[in-house]
Amino acid sequence: MSYFNEIRNIQYEGAKSENPYAFKFYNPSETINGKTMEEHLRFGVAYWHTFTEDLSDPFGVGTAIRPWDKFSGMDLAKARVEAAFEFFEKLQIPYFCFHDVDIAPEGNSLKESNENLDVIVAMIKDYMKDSKTKLLWNTVNNFTHPRFVHGAASSNSADVFAYAAAKVKKGLEVGKELGAENYVFWGGREGYETLLNTNMKLELDNLARFFHMAKDYANEIGFEAQFLIEPKPKEPTSHQYDFDVASGYAFLQNYDLQDTFKFNIEANHATLAGHTFEHELHYARIHNMLGSVDANQGHPLLGWDTDEFPSDLYATTLAMYEILKNGGLGKGGLNFDAKVRRGSFTPEDLFHAHITGMDSFAVGLKVAQRLLNDRVIENIIDERYDSFNSGIGKDIVSGKADFHQLEKHALTLSDTTQPSGQLEVIKNKINQYMLTTFA
Ligand code: XUL
Ligand code: CO
């Protein structure tokens, strides 16, 4: 059965193509600096937003028209798998990602939920045999069901902690079964609403205990996926524990988890935290903690997680610059944790959204590689910090200098001369590179 009958495989047709069902910039087989675009970008489809999401919002019911919605229960779950693999193939997408509840309905008990999962996982495994699309990561949803109202691993209830652990245990087994390259922990409701009823120390300790137990179990079953923490500062709780990369990294170090995890960085979570997307990527990169990316964008005027498909070429360029500086994403990828707008409710919109996201990152990749080749940003930064390459600067960096020596040096200074920060020059250069790369 075909769910996207009218749509043929999406091909690269070049920048001048008028075909809305073609890539204008994403050319999977094109080589850039020794790697194909497909290898650089490692795009993934988010199962929840593309096949499960109904586009409801707090003010209105779902609007999504999805041909598979004529089914219900397990039949719907199976229809979604069929639709998903048709979509993956037509889009030539190398990866996908899911939560347990995206792919199979929850039953009346944990046992029943696991049985439902087993049926769908077996079906997905079967489809994967004939597909080039692999599992970038899986995770479990430990936040939607009312039992997780006070959190999962940071719940006040030991029973809920146990239930959450059982779900992650199954998630790790599913990840191994399907060959997931990563396993994601997004905080969900791991956070708190008010300190007036919260034992924060116990909650943080428990969260760390949970992560250690998860890693122990992954080791026990030989599941070698990279573990990823996905920071987010707020939503649904007002204080999420994995606020951003910096606080997440401190948490991991406090609990001796820094070698177990890397970060899955989501653009809209970065901006919710008051950072830029590139700030979060950069912070993770310089600490060797950049694992994977949830590629989306927030709305500049809205203060919540809008999860839009990425189309801002400036943002994708700066993101790809960080990713290239990182030497790529390793086992990670660019997962479109993004949803079409509530008004974009047709199945065709799902294709247009992904084409736009993929083209936007392809543009970012090409511009960023040129910026790097010409050392545009590197040269400016090297020059800016040149004072640390000789004299007193070299002594500071090598650890030789102390306050006595620094005071002695400072007393000899009449006035310091400093070069300009040149921000406007740099921005103009980046604009020039963006426009001339495709001229
Ligand atoms: C929520 C979010 C999640 C994670 C996976 O904001 O980003 O979808 O990516 O649980
Ligand atoms: Co996400």
Side-chain angles (χ1 to χ4, degrees), residues 391-407:
I392 192 74
K394 202 170 174 187
D395 287 350
I396 293 170
V397 172
S398 68
K400 211 172 128 196
D402 62 13
F403 267 22
H404 297 289
Q405 189 194 344
L406 291 167
E407 183 193 44

Side-chain angles (χ1 to χ4, degrees), residues 48-49 99 137 139-141 143 184-188 230-232 234-236 264 266 269 294 296 305 307 335 337:
W48 54 103
H49 284 314
H99 305 78
W137 52 259
T139 184
V140 300
N141 178 325
F143 42 89
V184 163
F185 294 83
W186 166 58
E230 183 178 323
K232 184 176 183 181
K234 52 193 165 192
E235 273 188 46
N264 182 39
E266 178 162 327
H269 295 181
D294 270 5
N296 64 13
D305 197 15
D307 283 346
N335 163 50
D337 190 353

Side-chain angles (χ1 to χ4, degrees), residues 3-24:
Y3 290 96
F4 308 104
N5 227 345
E6 311 284 285
I7 296 167
R8 291 206 240 128
N9 286 4
I10 312 298
Q11 308 283 355
Y12 169 71
E13 289 186 8
K16 294 208 164 63
S17 169
E18 300 275 347
N19 178 4
Y21 292 98
F23 297 120
K24 319 294 180 303

Side-chain angles (χ1 to χ4, degrees), residues 371-397:
L371 284 167
L372 266 173
N373 290 349
D374 295 349
R375 295 186 51 82
V376 172
I377 299 173
E378 280 68 18
N379 284 344
I380 287 170
I381 291 178
D382 284 355
E383 257 178 61
R384 189 154 183 255
Y385 293 88
D386 192 41
S387 70
F388 287 94
N389 288 322
S390 60
I392 192 74
K394 202 170 174 187
D395 287 350
I396 293 170
V397 172

